[in-house]
Amino acid sequence: MLRIRFFSICIFLFGILSTDRIDASDNFVNALRLYNEGKFFVASIEFERAIFYETDIPKIAQCKYYKSLCFKNSGELVRAIDELDGISLYNLPDTLLFLIRYESALCNYLNNDPNKAIWLIDEIRLSNTGSTDVLNITPLNILCLNSIRKWEDALNLWNFLIMNSDLDEPERKKLTEEIDEIYNDKGLPKFKKPGKAENLSRFIPGSGQIYSGAFGEGSFNFLMNVSILGFAAYEFYTQYYFTGYFVGLGLLNKTYNGGIRRAGILADKRNQKTMDEFNLRVSSIMIKVFNY
Amino acid sequence: MGIASKSTIKYALFICFLSFKAFSFSQNSADCDLRFINHLVNRGNYHEALYLLDSTDCSLNQLNDSVFYLRGWSLYSLKKLLQSSENLIRVSSSSEFYLKSHFFAAYNYTHSGNYEIALKTLSDISIQSERELSLHNLELAGIFLLQGNLIKFDESVSLINRNQYEISESYDNLLRISTDMKTHKKKSPFVAGLISGIIPGSGKLYSGKKGEAITTFISTVGLALVTAESYRKTGFNSFRTIASGTAFVFSYVANIYGALMTVNIIETEYNDNVKNSILFNLHIPIRNTFDR
């Protein structure tokens, strides 16, 4: 009897210890630990390992979600978007589904694709009736709408956000006034038209640069073009036709056309800076009031 | 034997068994997870695969063919060709990746300009079939063509079986390139410089750079006209004549120097194009054969 028990124990232990099965949940726990330690590259590998050995679809989706967070934190937004796009959304719990879609929208917004982010946000709104989720997605939605200059829609969402906030009545009123001030004609950012900047420089060299906010550069460009034109005119006047043509007009051709192109580039740069400043202002209000 | 001694033997056996299992378990945990690394390589996550291969666990498996193959293939995919070859060449003939590894190692050496090592790598490969022999001869022929050794190229080409679909197109292309190399006439820097001295810009036209030729002609002739105009109106010793004359001399000398340099550049461009075409036609057959 003792002998049977002894060999049974041996067989049982042999069975347990000789199994080299890799436990996927251990991989996930290990990956999550690395992620929390800020070791995003190694964590992304371990999440992939967990995906490789996992068979449960919601758990695979969870690993992919965390893997995308690793990429986002490493600044690899395109890889983060690809990872999120590769998740099968069928049969996932609502909480995870929301997180995946929210993250996808956020990564697209950060990757300068606000239109796709809005499309993903709309998908959340259509598929999810949970008021908390809709409220949570609203700040990102506002930033995206600001980026594509849909001010009225952004203002409506602000009002919705304030209405559903935990703020008391005087705070709500104060915030509404602040937001109205930002979104009225005076508060909204003024954008420069690159085409207009180029046309201005075409008629008066340097004026397009001044219109785009580069006063010093515009003035210098104006003086340079006028000086070269004056030189060419003087040379023609004193009957130095070749000098006037080749040196004067040849040089003017370069500075004049270059100035036109530069005016357009400066207008674009200025617009980007204005938009960034505006969104930073809006974001700081969100953080201050709602503790996001 | 007494009962006490029997149970002692049992416990001794039991402890030996547990020790053995514990040892073998620790051995398993130190192994590389090659199945997972292979998965990473197949997904194109080469940096991640290399990280795992270079980790402590994998470095214990220095004699493992799979480790050398996976490391070599990842490095090849990341365009680190010499490091890749150092790994691929260590894959032993017992491995299923032997031929692929050694052909790609030879290609990597060829691409890096180490033609002699590439030839040695190819000659060390143990060839088993006619198909492999044809591929081997095609690679040899390509290297001889890169070395400019057209006699050995012809010898190697004559040993290739053109009917193999993996190599037939590259075979035809290599023959076309060799014919082109035989008929190629080098542009003479002397002729380019001489004709540029007579007509500014014509040296660049001789090298096939029409746009640069027109620009050079206009600027040099323009400065010549400006100098002539200044000389006619103000005499030889005036500042205007000296300044424009100096500019003209610089432009004229630069025109001749530019013509010489352009000939060298177009010859370098031709050689680079030929080299790239040959490498392309060496690469495609080995990819068709081993990496489909």
Side-chain angles (χ1 to χ4, degrees):
Chain A
M1 190 63 191
L2 269 172
R3 190 177 293 172
I4 291 168
R5 194 188 295 169
F6 172 75
F7 283 114
S8 299
I9 291 168
C10 281
I11 289 165
F12 174 73
L13 283 171
F14 183 81
I16 296 282
L17 293 173
S18 61
T19 306
D20 286 339
R21 192 175 69 84
I22 295 164
D23 196 332
S25 63
D26 286 352
N27 287 327
F28 178 73
V29 171
N30 183 34
L32 203 58
R33 180 182 56 79
L34 290 163
Y35 174 77
N36 289 329
E37 286 171 9
K39 293 171 182 170
F40 300 120
F41 176 70
V42 191
S44 75
I45 297 174
E46 292 310 316
F47 280 122
E48 181 59 36
R49 197 194 296 271
I51 294 163
F52 183 63
Y53 287 110
E54 188 58 75
T55 50
D56 185 50
I57 289 174
K59 281 182 183 169
I60 289 174
Q62 192 182 21
C63 291
K64 286 191 171 196
Y65 166 73
Y66 274 107
K67 199 179 163 196
S68 79
L69 293 184
C70 293
F71 290 141
K72 189 185 77 176
N73 285 307
S74 312
E76 295 179 90
L77 291 170
V78 177
R79 284 187 84 183
I81 293 166
D82 286 347
E83 199 62 42
L84 291 162
D85 285 349
I87 299 176
S88 166
L89 301 177
Y90 180 70
N91 254 354
L92 294 185
D94 285 347
T95 325
L96 184 59
L97 200 60
F98 171 76
L99 287 172
I100 290 165
R101 282 180 168 152
Y102 179 85
E103 202 57 38
S104 197
L106 178 63
C107 288
N108 275 289
Y109 168 70
L110 293 172
N111 200 35
N112 294 322
D113 195 351
N115 284 309
K116 195 178 173 195
I118 288 171
W119 180 73
L120 289 161
I121 290 166
D122 286 344
E123 219 172 47
I124 295 174
R125 287 184 190 282
L126 288 170
S127 63
N128 200 315
T129 50
S131 59
T132 319
D133 288 352
V134 173
L135 207 60
N136 284 338
I137 201 89
T138 304
L140 178 61
N141 203 350
I142 291 172
L143 293 176
C144 292
L145 289 168
N146 284 346
S147 294
I148 57 168
R149 301 177 201 178
K150 288 196 169 178
W151 312 120
E152 211 175 311
D153 293 346
L155 182 61
N156 289 338
L157 283 181
W158 261 115
N159 290 329
F160 169 77
L161 199 63
I162 295 165
M163 285 265 288
N164 290 284
S165 67
D166 297 332
L167 301 172
D168 55 25
E169 202 49 44
E171 280 176 329
R172 273 188 197 175
K173 200 178 168 192
K174 193 184 163 198
L175 186 59
T176 310
E177 281 171 6
E178 193 178 350
I179 295 300
D180 283 344
E181 205 174 294
I182 290 173
Y183 282 89
N184 68 21
D185 284 345
K186 283 184 183 173
L188 285 172
K190 305 283 181 291
F191 292 104
K192 306 293 179 188
K193 293 175 183 166
K196 188 178 173 183
E198 286 182 2
N199 283 333
L200 279 171
S201 275
R202 196 163 277 129
F203 288 109
I204 307 167
S207 60
Q209 283 93 322
I210 293 170
Y211 165 75
S212 302
F215 183 80
E217 191 179 323
S219 307
F220 177 74
N221 187 268
F222 175 77
L223 286 174
M224 190 169 63
N225 278 292
V226 167
S227 306
I228 293 168
L229 189 64
F231 170 77
Y234 178 76
E235 292 299 306
F236 277 111
Y237 177 72
T238 51
Q239 295 182 332
Y240 283 96
Y241 299 114
F242 288 126
T243 312
Y245 181 77
F246 285 107
V247 182
L249 294 184
L251 211 57
L252 184 70
N253 177 44
K254 299 282 178 197
T255 56
Y256 176 73
N257 286 319
I260 291 170
R261 278 197 295 276
R262 177 76 183 152
I265 292 167
L266 283 174
D268 281 332
K269 274 189 181 174
R270 168 79 179 214
N271 288 345
Q272 187 60 47
K273 195 181 166 197
T274 309
M275 193 68 240
D276 289 347
E277 282 171 359
F278 181 75
N279 262 349
L280 195 67
R281 193 178 163 197
V282 171
S283 310
S284 64
I285 294 171
M286 283 176 188
I287 293 163
K288 192 172 68 184
V289 178
F290 299 103
N291 288 325
Y292 280 114
Chain B
M1 203 181 287
I3 294 170
S5 63
K6 268 188 182 176
S7 66
T8 310
I9 289 166
K10 274 183 191 172
Y11 280 112
L13 277 171
F14 186 66
I15 287 162
C16 285
F17 165 76
L18 279 183
S19 307
F20 170 74
K21 282 315 294 179
F23 175 74
S24 64
F25 185 75
S26 68
Q27 286 290 300
N28 283 342
S29 66
D31 277 352
C32 277
D33 189 352
L34 286 176
R35 204 155 68 92
F36 174 59
I37 295 170
N38 193 39
H39 161 78
L40 288 176
V41 171
N42 289 338
R43 272 177 59 93
N45 300 147
Y46 304 114
H47 288 289
E48 286 83 350
L50 282 172
Y51 173 80
L52 289 182
L53 285 164
D54 292 338
S55 67
T56 318
D57 284 359
C58 278
S59 62
L60 295 171
N61 275 300
Q62 282 299 312
L63 297 174
N64 194 325
D65 281 336
S66 297
V67 172
F68 290 130
Y69 166 72
L70 289 170
R71 189 182 280 131
W73 189 252
S74 298
L75 288 163
Y76 158 79
S77 304
L78 293 170
K79 309 273 185 288
K80 293 177 179 174
L81 300 182
L82 282 177
Q83 285 169 276
S84 165
S85 291
E86 284 164 14
N87 283 280
L88 290 174
I89 210 161
R90 294 169 78 177
V91 176
S92 72
S93 56
S94 60
S95 166
E96 61 175 307
F97 301 115
Y98 169 72
L99 278 175
K100 180 181 178 180
S101 301
H102 284 251
F103 269 105
F104 271 96
Y107 172 77
N108 289 345
Y109 282 129
T110 310
H111 196 283
S112 316
N114 297 303
Y115 301 136
E116 293 303 327
I117 305 173
L119 287 170
K120 189 180 179 308
T121 307
L122 282 172
S123 64
D124 288 346
I125 297 176
S126 63
I127 303 293
Q128 304 290 331
S129 66
E130 196 197 334
R131 181 168 157 267
E132 291 160 13
L133 186 65
S134 281
L135 182 65
H136 180 263
N137 284 321
L138 184 91
E139 296 294 314
L140 283 177
I143 297 170
F144 290 135
L145 201 56
L146 283 166
Q147 288 179 321
N149 192 340
L150 295 172
I151 297 164
K152 282 198 169 181
F153 167 77
D154 289 336
E155 279 174 20
S156 299
V157 156
S158 65
L159 300 170
I160 299 170
N161 177 7
R162 194 214 166 275
N163 295 328
Q164 277 175 229
Y165 75 94
E166 298 101 331
I167 61 168
S168 57
E169 201 177 332
S170 295
Y171 171 87
D172 293 342
N173 288 339
L174 286 181
L175 282 181
R176 187 182 49 72
I177 293 166
S178 77
T179 312
D180 186 54
M181 283 170 74
K182 282 172 193 166
T183 54
H184 173 69
K185 282 181 184 167
K186 281 187 177 177
K187 301 275 184 192
S188 162
F190 176 75
V191 174
L194 185 71
I195 61 172
S196 273
I198 299 163
I199 306 168
S202 58
K204 292 197 173 179
L205 195 65
Y206 165 74
S207 304
K209 305 274 182 188
K210 282 183 191 168
E212 284 182 29
I214 293 167
T215 312
T216 308
F217 178 79
I218 291 171
S219 60
T220 311
V221 172
L223 282 169
L225 290 170
V226 170
T227 310
E229 188 178 59
S230 300
Y231 175 70
R232 191 168 56 81
K233 293 201 173 187
T234 58
F236 188 76
N237 289 327
S238 75
F239 171 75
R240 185 185 273 268
T241 309
I242 292 167
S244 56
T246 308
F248 164 69
V249 170
F250 270 113
S251 175
Y252 182 74
V253 173
N255 144 63
I256 295 170
Y257 180 72
L260 300 175
M261 291 307 291
T262 307
V263 169
N264 288 333
I265 289 166
I266 61 150
E267 278 306 318
T268 309
E269 277 176 2
Y270 173 79
N271 290 334
D272 285 348
N273 283 338
V274 167
K275 186 184 169 190
N276 289 336
S277 299
I278 295 169
L279 287 172
F280 179 77
N281 285 293
L282 294 184
H283 196 203
I284 294 298
I286 53 170
R287 283 212 83 121
N288 279 345
T289 308
F290 299 111
D291 193 40
R292 280 186 301 150

